[in-house]
Every structure is written in structure tokens, then in C-alpha cells.
Amino acid sequence: MTSESPDLTAFVKTYDVRGLVGSQLTGEVVEAFGAAFADEIEGAGSELVVGHDMRDSSPAFAAAFARGARARGAHVVSLGLCSTDESYFASGSLSAPAAMFTASHNPASYNGIKMSRAGAQGISLDTGLASIRDRASSYLADGIEAVAEPGGQRDYDALGDYAAYLRHLVDLSGIRPIKVVVDAGNGMGGLTVPAVLGSAAGLPELPIEIIPMYFELDGTFPNHEANPLEPANLVDLQKAVVEHGADLGLAFDGDADRCFVVDENGDAVTPSAVAAIVAVREIARVRALEPDADIAVIHNLITSRAVPEAIEASGARAVRTRVGHSLIKDEMRETGAIFGGEHSAHYYFRDFWGADNGMLAAMHVLAEFGSQAEPLSTLTDRYTPYSASGEINSTVTDVPAAYARIVDAYASQGDFDELDGLTVSGTSENGGFWWFNVRPSNTEPLLRLNAEAATEAEMVQVRDAVLGLIRG
């Protein structure tokens, strides 16, 4: 790599490419990634899907990537504007590798590339992304040499097929009439929600009244960041649900692959409760089709204890995993799991090529809610029996020292598990349970704490004690 070439290691992350537009991601850099990706997947003569979100820089980046890929012989299938899970659909249904231009919930100054092998299989640093990075660096230094037969390009508007496929997986036609406020955050949900839950893609009307918020596609995010994981970004939705007397609210992130749920009172429903609801429904669906199947469902280790309890009560195996998008996808394939749920509101489906799909999870919640008469708060309370802290990040100057303080303090109080960071679990004096997990950040001097207990008082006690140890 020449001295003038950018250092790609600065913005090639563990699972994707994500950096600042202009200073890190440029048309030249992206074109090199397109050529490198085509080489990595041995794409000469084969189709390669390219899609993009609504960010101002995304169309030009998608075009640059396509140029690089075509130069190395790949035939580009251009999706144009799409959500990330729509690109997964195209990758799965066409059995073709895919590249999606998005920075998800990051601010407008960022963009990125999520790359998949055929069948929506994720690519991480360990499974090809490092090689793509290094090839791209070489192309930036030496130029891209076109192959003897460069690839062609065709357009594919996948939205209608995507919407029809999701309607096939979750039938909403027979639910009771419901009113839903949807906050798209000016992200790609503004395109996909009217197609999947409405009739914009030519599908039949559903008994769902949608009250839209921020459906205008705008990569500057003029209303709030498209990151519903931050409570401040749910406030508008929570108010609107109550003002409209709606049954529930849905909030999507920028690329619409994650969905968060708000009940009729404007209270946020935990992603763990959503995971439990979807798990129970998917287990029942698969059990009806495959009566003798050994059904596995994945949950990461910081979801509520209620999630594995719901899985096992439904007659399936609960598989506990580390935290991480690509890790879950790999585990889905290795275990043959039918569903996977994360605390971060990523939900993975076997029948969606093992990829995550927030819209599909939302449809399961709508189907479950619409098939019974209770308000959503009553339904979700059954899947939220315990008290959780949520993830609390602490900046720590000496992470190993903080970690050692926790180990010393709890050595005789609970059981230790180091599957991902440190998980300590125990029993309180009144017979209730508690657990906490502490994980160091891979990129920052942070420790992340999650705690849960049978009661609020027990959770607060554990949470505060561990925070005291973390922060010294």
C-alpha cells in the first residue's frame, strides 16, 4: 500500500465496513471494495446483488462498487433503494452474494457496506472481510485491472417479491382490526412498511390502520437519529401512540433491519419479550409441520432469563450464545436453529436464510396481538416477569483492574461463566435469582454491564454493587 492510500483497517470493522464519507469512504475506495469483493467470492461470470439506503452518498457509492465488481467480471443486480433485510431477501432468493450500502443508525456523515455471501451468509473479518480489505488496498495502490470479459448489470425491484414472501411466512389477514403508529425515522422503513403492511406493493389490504411518522426518506435524519435503541429516539412514537389511542407502536432503525415495539400505554416492550413471543410462535409453526423435529432456538447470554424459559416450556432447546450479529448467523447455520433473538432487537429466522429481519419480528407481534383480545401490555407482561437493568456502559481507564475487582468480590457469591465476558449468577436470601454480565468493548475503554433479578429491589442491589466495582 502506498503512502497516499488510505488505511482501510481504520474503518473495516469486525462485521462490516463503516466510516466517514469523504475522509474515509470515497468513490475510489468503494470501487476498490467492489473489485475486491468480486474476487473474494469468485464472482466472475456470476450475479452479485447491490443495494443502498436513503443516505445522500449511497447511490453514488453503490454505482462505484458496481463498477469495480463489473471490472472483475461480476454481473451486478442493482436493487436501488432497499432495506438491509430486503437485500438479504435478494441474496437468499437469487442465491447470489450481496452488498448493501448503509450505516444503519449512524449519523448522516457516515456510510458503510454490509456484505454477504450467497444465501445471505454474513462475512466477518475471520470469514473473508480481512481478505477483501487487503485486496482493496492493493487495488487502491496499483489500480483495478479489468478482466477480459467485464460483467453486465440489470435492475431488480425486489420490494414486491420481498413483501409477498414475508406475507407468506406470517399471515396477518385474519387478525382483528388494529391501529399501529410506525416511526420510520426517515429511514428505509418508510419504503418497506407501506409495501409489507399496506398495499403499496399491490398486495391485499390488511386489517391494520397505519399512522405514519417520518416516512419521508431523508438521510440527514431531520427529526431524530434512526436508532430506537436510544430511549430519546422513542419519545415521539410513545407520545403519538397515546395521543392516537393506538394499539401499539413500531420503530425501525435507519436500514430497517431492527424493530422496536411500544405498547398502548407508550411503554417500550423489551426486545427479550419480543424474542420470547416470536420464539413461541415459530416453535408452534415448525412443530406443526415437523412433529418429530429436534427444534433449537438461539438467544444470546444477555437476553432475559424469560427467553430460554419460554423456549423450553414450548418444547424446544434453548441454545445460549455470545453477543454478536455474525456470531448468531454462524450459530444459526451450525445448530439448524429455527429462530434467534438478541437483546439489541436483531431477530434471525431459519426461513429467512438465517438472516435477521425486524419487519418479520414485527409481523409476528402483530399476528400474536391481533389473534387475542387483550391489550399489548397484558400480553407482553407475561413474557417480562423479571427486572432487568438494560445495558449500562462505563468508561474505565484500567479495564483489567476493574474486572479483577469484580472477580474478587463475587468469588464466593455466585457461579462464574466466561462464555462472553464474565457472567456471575446466584441465589438471593429469599430464594430469588440474580445474574449479571460484564463485557469489555472491543474498540473502546468501556465495560458493559447487564443485570437481571427476580425482583426490582434485587436487581437494583446487584446493579449498583457491580457498578461500584466497575467504576472503582
Side-chain angles (χ1 to χ4, degrees):
M1 185 170 66
T2 67
S3 59
E4 291 80 16
S5 298
D7 178 13
L8 303 189
T9 61
F11 54 94
V12 176
K13 310 297 185 182
T14 305
Y15 307 119
D16 61 13
V17 177
R18 199 170 300 196
L20 288 164
V21 174
S23 60
Q24 294 179 319
L25 285 178
T26 66
E28 184 183 17
V29 167
V30 168
E31 188 170 348
F33 272 111
F37 184 50
D39 287 351
E40 172 66 22
I41 54 140
E42 299 179 351
S46 301
E47 289 194 325
L48 185 162
V49 173
V50 180
H52 65 81
D53 70 8
M54 68 293 139
R55 291 167 187 267
D56 291 346
S57 58
S58 289
F61 280 165
F65 189 94
R67 282 196 304 275
R70 292 199 310 271
R72 299 300 296 166
H75 297 301
V76 171
V77 179
S78 176
L79 299 181
L81 276 168
C82 64
S83 65
T84 290
D85 46 15
E86 195 181 335
S87 76
Y88 293 150
F89 167 79
S91 176
S93 60
L94 298 176
S95 295
M100 173 69 187
F101 280 84
T102 181
S104 186
H105 60 275
N106 287 113
S109 54
Y110 285 81
N111 212 325
I113 321 170
K114 292 183 177 180
M115 288 174 266
S116 308
R117 296 187 187 275
Q121 292 187 39
I123 297 178
S124 66
L125 281 176
D126 294 334
T127 59
L129 189 52
S131 175
I132 293 167
R133 176 198 65 204
D134 295 343
R135 289 174 190 264
S137 292
S138 296
Y139 282 133
L140 283 168
D142 304 324
I144 300 170
E145 182 181 352
V147 297
E149 294 186 20
Q153 184 161 330
R154 70 179 177 94
D155 295 334
Y156 172 35
D157 182 356
L159 186 59
D161 293 340
Y162 162 80
Y165 184 68
L166 297 195
R167 290 266 196 110
H168 163 71
L169 292 177
V170 181
D171 183 6
L172 293 167
S173 60
I175 63 173
R176 62 185 171 101
I178 57 178
K179 183 189 292 188
V180 184
V181 182
V182 180
D183 183 347
N186 298 109
M188 291 312 305
L191 180 71
T192 57
V193 169
V196 178
L197 301 182
S199 56
L203 298 176
E205 291 273 6
L206 295 171
I208 300 174
E209 177 188 351
I210 296 173
I211 299 169
M213 292 182 69
Y214 313 142
F215 272 35
E216 304 78 19
L217 302 184
D218 189 338
T220 68
F221 307 113
N223 295 290
H224 60 71
E225 285 189 356
N227 181 15
L229 192 59
E230 290 293 332
N233 298 324
L234 285 177
V235 170
D236 290 356
L237 175 65
Q238 291 169 313
K239 289 180 180 176
V241 167
V242 175
E243 288 172 0
H244 288 279
D247 293 299
L248 65 129
L250 302 174
F252 290 89
D253 68 348
D255 59 337
D257 65 344
R258 287 189 299 158
C259 184
F260 293 74
V261 181
V262 168
D263 70 20
E264 78 284 358
N265 300 316
D267 295 326
V269 177
T270 70
S272 284
V274 173
I277 289 169
V278 179
V280 170
R281 286 180 51 83
E282 280 289 85
I283 292 165
R285 183 184 68 84
V286 173
R287 182 68 70 201
L289 297 171
E290 307 166 30
D292 299 323
D294 174 22
I295 297 176
V297 175
I298 286 170
H299 67 100
N300 72 25
L301 54 77
I302 55 177
T303 57
S304 170
R305 178 176 286 197
V307 177
E309 287 177 349
I311 293 166
E312 290 166 357
S314 298
R317 278 190 301 118
V319 179
R320 181 172 174 266
T321 73
R322 292 182 290 158
V323 176
H325 181 262
S326 195
L327 293 167
I328 300 280
K329 284 187 172 180
D330 292 343
E331 197 78 17
M332 289 286 289
R333 288 197 304 275
E334 290 169 13
T335 63
I338 63 166
F339 174 67
E342 287 200 277
H343 74 296
S344 56
H346 280 290
Y347 306 104
Y348 307 78
F349 296 84
R350 180 192 69 180
D351 291 347
F352 196 72
W353 300 279
D356 46 318
N357 189 322
M359 180 72 75
L360 197 48
M363 292 172 73
H364 274 288
V365 172
L366 293 171
E368 186 66 19
F369 170 75
S371 67
Q372 49 87 64
E374 295 177 326
L376 186 63
S377 59
T378 303
L379 173 63
T380 56
D381 278 352
R382 292 202 292 271
Y383 294 97
T384 318
Y386 310 126
S387 180
S389 67
E391 190 153 274
I392 303 169
N393 291 324
S394 301
T395 301
V396 179
T397 54
D398 190 342
V399 170
Y403 198 87
R405 287 195 296 271
I406 296 167
V407 171
D408 290 344
Y410 282 90
S412 61
Q413 295 189 48
D415 296 324
F416 281 42
D417 176 346
E418 294 185 290
L419 174 64
D420 191 352
L422 174 66
T423 302
V424 183
S425 56
T427 304
S428 57
E429 292 181 0
N430 65 3
F433 78 90
W434 57 264
W435 63 265
F436 68 84
N437 172 269
V438 177
R439 295 161 24 252
S441 167
N442 291 324
T443 57
E444 302 171 272
L446 294 177
L447 278 176
R448 310 187 191 281
L449 169 67
N450 284 268
E452 185 179 52
T455 68
E456 176 81 7
E458 290 170 314
M459 184 278 291
V460 169
Q461 182 179 10
V462 171
R463 178 198 67 195
D464 292 351
V466 180
L467 279 176
L469 295 166
I470 289 174
R471 296 170 180 176

